[in-house]
Each structure stands twice: as C-alpha cells, then as structure tokens.
Amino acid sequence: MRSTALIHPGVPSIRARRSAMFVVFALAGVGFATWVSRIPLIRDHLGVSTAGMAVLLFGLSAGAVLGLTLAPLVHHWLGSRRGLLVSLIGVAGALVLIGVTADVFRVAVLALCALVVFGFFYGTTDVLINVEGAAVEREFGRTSLPLMNAFFSMGTAAGAGIGAAASAFGVSVVLDFTVIAAVIVLSAVVAARSIARPHPEGQDVHDDVDEPGKERARSSALGNVAGMFRDGRLLLIGLMAVGAAFAEGSANDWIALAATDGHGFSNTAGALVYGTFVAAMTVTRIVSGPAIDRLGRFPVLAASAVVGLVGLVVFITVQTPWVVFVAAALWGVGASLIFPVGVSVAADHPTRSAHRVAFISMFGYAAFLIGPPVIGILGEHIGILEALWFVAIMLLLSLIAMPAIRNKRTARRRS
C-alpha cells in the first residue's frame, strides 16, 4: 500500500500517526500517575479519612463518567486532532487546580471540584485515544493497541517515579503538578500535528464536516449505542473490559495506600510498589503484540488473567515485603492486556468500529474510575487489604467472559 503522505503531501503518514499516538498515550499515563503517586500526601494535607478519600474519588469518577458519555460527541464536533489537544490541555489545567486546592488551600471541597474537572477531561481523553488508536492499528495492519497501552504504562511508571522522587525530596504537590502540566501541554501541541487522519485535503476527517453533517453524526452515534446493548458478544467483551479495568483502576488509586496502611510501608515505599505494578504492565504490553499475533488472543489473555489473580491473592494475604513487590508485579501482568485487546476486538467491524471502540471504552473506563471509590468504601468498613478481594472477583468475571473473543480472527497482516 502506498503511503498516504506520498499520495497527499502534507498528510501525516501512518508511521507518524502511530508515533504520535504513542506520545499521547504516554501523556495520559503521566497525567494520571502524577495524581495517583501523591494521593497519600494529598490525603494528609486535606486531613480526610479513607471514606473521605472515597468521596473525593467519587467526584473524579462523576466527572469521568460525564467525559466518557460526551466523548463520542466531542469526537464528532472537534475531530481527532483538536479533540485530543483540548482534552489533554484540560487534563493539565485540572492537575494544577488539584495541586493548588490540596497543597495551598487544603480545602477538601475545593479539591473535590478540581477532581471533577480532572475526571471529565481524563475520561474524554481516554475514549478519544482508544478510538484513534484502533483506527491507526487497522491501517498499520498489526496488533498495536497493547503497545500503545504500553506507552500509557511507561507514562504511568514515569509519573510514579517522579512522584516518588518528589515525595522523597519533599517537593510540594503544587510545584510537582505544575511542572508536569507544562510538559503535557507542550508535548500535546507537538504530537497533535501528526494525529489527524488522512484526508484528500490533508485535514482531520471531522474538521470539514458541515453542521447538518455533524447533526447526522450525533444522531447516528446515539442510535448505534442503543443497538450495541443488543449485541450479546459485544456486551461480553464489555464485561471483560470492566473486570480488567476494575483491577487496573483499583491498583492505580489504592495499591500505594494498601502498601502503607495494610503492609506498613512508608509513603515512598508505597509509591515504589505502585511503580512496580505499572512497570510490570509496561513490560507485558511491550512483548505481547507478537505473542498475540502468533498464539491467538484467548490463550494469551487467559494466561495473563490467571497470573493476575494469583498476584492479587498473594498481595492480600502475604506480609513479607519482597513478596508484596512480586505480587504487585503479577497483579500488573493480569491487568495489562485484557482492556486493549478488548478494544481491538471491538474494532473488528467494517463500518461501526469507532462507535464500538467508544462503547467498550466507556464500559472499561467507567469501571476504571468508579471501582476505586467502591474499594474505598469497603476499605473503611473491612480494611483496605480485605476490600481487594472484590477486585479479585471482578478479574475472575473478566476471565469467565473471555471466551467471547474467540470468534474473531486474531492475526493481522500488513496490506
């Protein structure tokens, strides 16, 4: 297949678009991990209990659900390039707001409002990057979404490492968040130049749609969502994504506190446990693409889910420090592949791939953001480690739903 850049000069090539998506996924990971890695200190500044943290996370989840719901419309209104640029700038701005409200004013209500804003832009970003990432994967001709999610994990590992270093050296939350926000904005502006999809005039495919066309697109999107709830296989893939995203989201928000409160680790060591989790996710996602193309989706995903379940059980039940780190790594393996591969399966449709990807993304990221507050409420009553048994149950449900991905061809070939 001839390069689009050669046919239409000035249009980003598929490799340039793929590289830009790697950057955008990494930025999303950095943004989220920056918040997560400083949760223990933010909790201390705000003086809230475990239940109070659950309320704050519910605020983040409420904003995220709104962002997830409106993201397909944002995609039609702004297109891939402008939509992702706006949402990433919103994530960066919300980080600064969180830093100011939690570190300067130290008022829980203001922090709650900042987290609602952060959740909205983060939820929007997550849907948009998966829709665009699936489109790039189809055109590239090889399994790529796990690798893109590996860059997300690299971003979270970097954010966790920076957060741990900032905690160790006593760097204020507001300074930490402001510097990271500036990096996100500058990087997003550069990456956005290569995000647009190929179009004869070299524009984002949505940028030149007239208002009646946009209105038809909005109506079509809403109609497609209603129809997808009648697709049993797609719903099973959604359930699979829910379990995996629940496992990942709960780790992102609670694994550091579980290490400090449940296992007696310091705040810095707790951040390192989180870093171990995301590092394991990163490595698994990097090496999984060729394995999935060769062995098939189901055996690779089933093996990773079983490993994750073992890791969760060990993390909950064993107190030995080095074993806790190993268990966090196994947990990361189990949470690494199911969601991106589920998105890839959903994209295997000739005409509605974008809407199907958005549908699965909404399932997954709703669990990703709603799950952690549920764990917080359970943790307030039964203890944070005991609350993690619910995460194990959700990952088991994901494993039970996993045969739904068997029906489709796994390997991808270059055109």
Side-chain angles (χ1 to χ4, degrees):
M1 182 182 292
R2 295 176 61 192
S3 170
T4 306
L6 296 177
I7 299 173
H8 306 296
V11 177
S13 69
I14 183 61
R15 291 188 179 275
R17 291 172 56 211
R18 187 169 179 254
S19 297
M21 292 310 300
F22 290 155
V23 172
V24 172
F25 268 83
L27 293 177
V30 168
F32 195 78
T34 297
W35 141 252
V36 170
S37 63
R38 304 307 296 272
I39 285 177
L41 183 59
I42 290 173
R43 179 195 62 178
D44 294 343
H45 283 343
L46 295 175
V48 296
S49 64
T50 302
M53 280 302 303
V55 172
L56 292 177
L57 292 175
F58 266 124
L60 189 152
S61 299
V65 169
L66 182 60
L68 292 167
T69 303
L70 296 181
L73 300 184
V74 172
H75 187 250
H76 287 299
W77 286 330
L78 300 179
S80 301
R81 175 193 293 172
R82 290 184 294 184
L84 278 170
L85 184 58
V86 168
S87 64
L88 283 170
I89 291 174
V91 167
L95 271 178
V96 176
L97 287 177
I98 294 171
V100 171
T101 57
D103 198 29
V104 178
F105 297 109
R106 302 192 179 187
V107 177
V109 174
L110 295 178
L112 175 63
C113 296
L115 283 168
V116 171
V117 176
F118 180 76
F120 172 80
F121 284 110
Y122 189 80
T124 303
T125 299
D126 275 325
V127 172
L128 294 180
I129 60 177
N130 279 288
V131 170
E132 185 65 11
V136 170
E137 181 184 66
R138 287 196 308 276
E139 292 186 37
F140 191 71
R142 293 179 182 175
T143 300
S144 300
L145 270 171
L147 183 56
M148 292 180 190
N149 279 270
F151 276 85
F152 176 88
S153 297
M154 291 178 195
T156 56
I162 293 170
S167 176
F169 288 100
V171 177
S172 69
V173 173
V174 67
L175 177 60
D176 180 14
F177 284 16
T178 300
V179 171
I180 295 300
V183 171
I184 291 175
V185 171
L186 292 176
S187 302
V189 169
V190 174
R193 299 175 182 177
S194 299
I195 289 177
R197 299 184 187 181
H199 186 272
E201 284 72 35
Q203 298 172 308
D204 187 325
V205 292
H206 297 287
D207 289 344
D208 62 345
V209 179
D210 57 17
E211 289 304 319
K214 290 181 179 179
E215 183 61 38
R216 288 192 299 271
R218 287 192 289 271
S219 300
S220 175
L222 295 175
N224 283 331
V225 169
M228 287 172 198
F229 277 103
R230 296 190 293 270
D231 187 330
R233 181 170 180 264
L234 192 62
L235 285 174
L236 283 175
I237 296 172
L239 178 61
M240 186 180 76
V242 165
F246 201 104
E248 181 180 353
S250 297
N252 282 337
D253 280 348
W254 290 110
I255 195 169
L257 284 175
T260 57
D261 295 355
H263 292 295
F265 286 18
S266 67
N267 285 349
T268 300
L272 290 176
V273 170
Y274 172 62
T276 300
F277 170 83
V278 296
M281 290 187 67
T282 303
V283 173
T284 305
R285 286 169 170 172
I286 289 173
V287 303
S288 64
I292 291 170
D293 286 338
R294 175 173 294 185
L295 302 176
R297 288 165 171 160
F298 178 75
V300 174
L301 263 63
S304 71
V306 171
V307 169
L309 280 171
V310 171
L312 264 167
V313 171
V314 172
F315 187 91
I316 295 167
T317 58
V318 179
Q319 292 290 328
T320 307
W322 71 266
V323 176
V324 172
F325 278 92
V326 173
L330 296 179
W331 184 353
V333 171
S336 61
L337 297 179
I338 300 173
F339 178 72
V341 174
V343 170
S344 182
V345 174
D348 288 340
H349 192 278
T351 59
R352 296 183 179 178
S353 59
H355 293 103
R356 288 164 63 88
V357 168
F359 185 75
I360 296 300
S361 296
M362 286 188 283
F363 264 78
Y365 282 105
F368 185 85
L369 293 161
I370 292 174
V374 173
I375 298 301
I377 291 175
L378 290 174
E380 181 72 12
H381 292 89
I382 63 175
I384 186 63
L385 288 180
E386 288 73 14
L388 294 179
W389 284 112
F390 189 65
V391 181
I393 292 173
M394 295 302 295
L395 191 56
L396 179 61
L397 288 176
S398 181
L399 182 60
I400 292 172
M402 203 168 288
I405 69 173
R406 275 178 158 170
N407 299 349
K408 291 289 184 179
R409 183 182 179 87
T410 299
R412 295 181 179 273
R413 290 183 173 85
R414 190 182 297 275
S415 299

